[in-house]
Amino acid sequence: MSLDFPLILVILVFGTGLIWLADRILWAPGRQKSLDALCEQFPEWNQEGTADARQFASSAETLPRESTIVEYSRSFFPVLAVVFVLRSFIAEPFQIPSSSMVPTLEVGDYILVNKFIYGIRLPVVRTKVFSISEPERGDVMVFFPPHLNKTYYIKRVIGLPGDVVSYRSKRLYVNGEPIPFEPLAVVPDGRSRYQMGMSELGGKSHLQQINLMRPGRDFTVTVKPGHYFMMGDNRDNSSDSRVWGQVSERDIVGKAFAIWMHWDSLFSIPSFDRVGGIE
């Protein structure tokens, strides 16, 4: 079972915040009042070595104290609140778990996703409260696919609402226009032969690859209003809109814009050779 981290973070932030606030309103004034009364009883409590100081120290042991849960809430709430704001509304890190975006993104890449470029959304419920811009063809986008409501996917935006997307003989067409593809190299890999090339979509160039040994599946589809057609750059090794359908605008998470680290596994050494922007 996958954990719903956004929901857990919301619960932690509001839980610790409410506990801290309740303590400030309900219990902290009483503790302060008891302390003030003790200070008045022993006027020289802060003068070391005096009888008042000794009696004050002894009597202070009986004063009501801040509970452990309140202490932890007060300590963790500011940190959790900062993480919540950054992660929910500004930028969020993700790890690439599969090869569906090779050669643009490799397994083990750690990327940053802009959470506000497509609009400000409430965490967990995903309701957009403020619109900034809309996805463009060629954007590398993180989203929730229609068949997995709590699993993050990353693919490239191919079709916008109303577009007609076609795939024939492993060539992509949008609204009847072929998407430029310039072959660069053919790479043998066991029983497969991958053709790598440079494609241009939405005025942006990016690398993609196809498996010359695997037959393609031709199709033509019209993108529904409020939806986007997504495909991986590793055309023949990608579960995308060709398999599970179009992505609703409501399920958009953000735009991937940078690789900040590459880490293959727990027992390998992190690398920063791939640091840079995502095309």
Side-chain angles (χ1 to χ4, degrees):
M1 181 179 66
S2 61
L3 296 176
D4 191 339
F5 185 74
L7 178 59
I8 293 173
L9 184 58
V10 167
I11 292 173
L12 288 175
V13 169
F14 283 92
T16 55
L18 287 173
I19 291 172
W20 186 19
L21 180 62
D23 178 71
R24 291 290 300 272
I25 296 174
L26 300 176
W27 302 299
R31 294 197 302 270
Q32 186 62 47
K33 186 176 180 180
S34 299
L35 179 61
D36 292 342
L38 193 62
C39 292
E40 291 179 2
Q41 184 178 352
F42 303 106
E44 298 182 351
W45 66 272
N46 60 344
Q47 298 182 23
E48 187 176 353
T50 64
D52 277 3
R54 291 191 295 271
Q55 290 177 315
F56 177 86
S58 177
S59 299
E61 296 295 328
T62 64
L63 290 177
R65 296 181 179 277
E66 182 181 76
S67 69
T68 302
I69 189 171
V70 170
E71 180 182 357
Y72 279 120
S73 296
R74 175 172 51 81
S75 300
F76 284 114
F77 171 73
V79 178
L80 291 170
V82 170
V83 172
F84 171 75
V85 171
L86 289 175
R87 186 186 184 280
S88 300
F89 306 112
I90 299 177
E92 183 176 0
F94 289 93
Q95 181 192 15
I96 302 301
S98 74
S99 60
S100 67
M101 285 296 291
V102 170
T104 304
L105 299 172
E106 297 181 358
V107 177
D109 281 347
Y110 282 75
I111 65 170
L112 289 175
V113 174
N114 186 323
K115 297 294 290 288
F116 62 84
I117 191 169
Y118 299 137
I120 303 299
R121 298 172 185 271
L122 297 178
V124 181
V125 296
R126 308 178 196 169
T127 302
K128 183 187 286 189
V129 295
F130 186 77
S131 183
I132 296 177
S133 67
E134 301 297 331
E136 299 178 354
R137 294 188 196 93
D139 287 357
V140 177
M141 193 167 76
V142 173
F143 56 92
F144 296 100
H147 68 304
L148 293 172
N149 194 42
K150 295 181 181 179
T151 302
Y152 296 106
Y153 270 41
I154 181 167
K155 309 290 179 187
R156 193 175 296 276
V157 178
I158 302 298
L160 306 179
D163 281 349
V164 177
V165 178
S166 300
Y167 198 59
R168 300 194 297 271
S169 300
K170 299 198 176 185
R171 287 296 306 273
L172 184 64
Y173 299 80
V174 177
N175 298 325
E177 296 293 328
I179 300 303
F181 177 75
E182 179 186 354
L184 298 176
V186 175
V187 181
D189 184 8
R191 296 182 179 179
S192 300
R193 293 176 66 240
Y194 290 98
Q195 183 178 61
M196 298 183 61
M198 188 68 69
S199 185
E200 184 178 329
L201 187 64
K204 309 165 191 172
S205 297
H206 64 274
L207 287 170
Q208 73 170 64
Q209 70 179 28
I210 58 176
N211 187 345
L212 296 175
M213 306 302 292
R214 181 177 295 180
R217 182 172 64 88
D218 294 351
F219 67 87
T220 297
V221 63
T222 300
V223 185
K224 298 181 291 186
H227 288 73
Y228 297 87
F229 196 88
M230 314 296 298
M231 294 178 71
D233 290 345
N234 194 354
R235 287 285 188 260
D236 296 303
N237 189 24
S238 173
S239 174
D240 49 39
S241 288
R242 293 171 291 181
V243 178
W244 34 252
Q246 302 170 24
V247 175
S248 169
E249 189 276 336
R250 179 181 180 274
D251 294 328
I252 292 174
V253 174
K255 179 182 178 181
F257 68 93
I259 301 171
W260 62 276
M261 184 178 69
H262 181 86
W263 194 6
D264 284 323
S265 67
L266 183 63
F267 302 103
S268 65
I269 299 175
S271 167
F272 298 93
D273 293 341
R274 289 180 49 76
V275 170
I278 297 174
E279 296 297 334

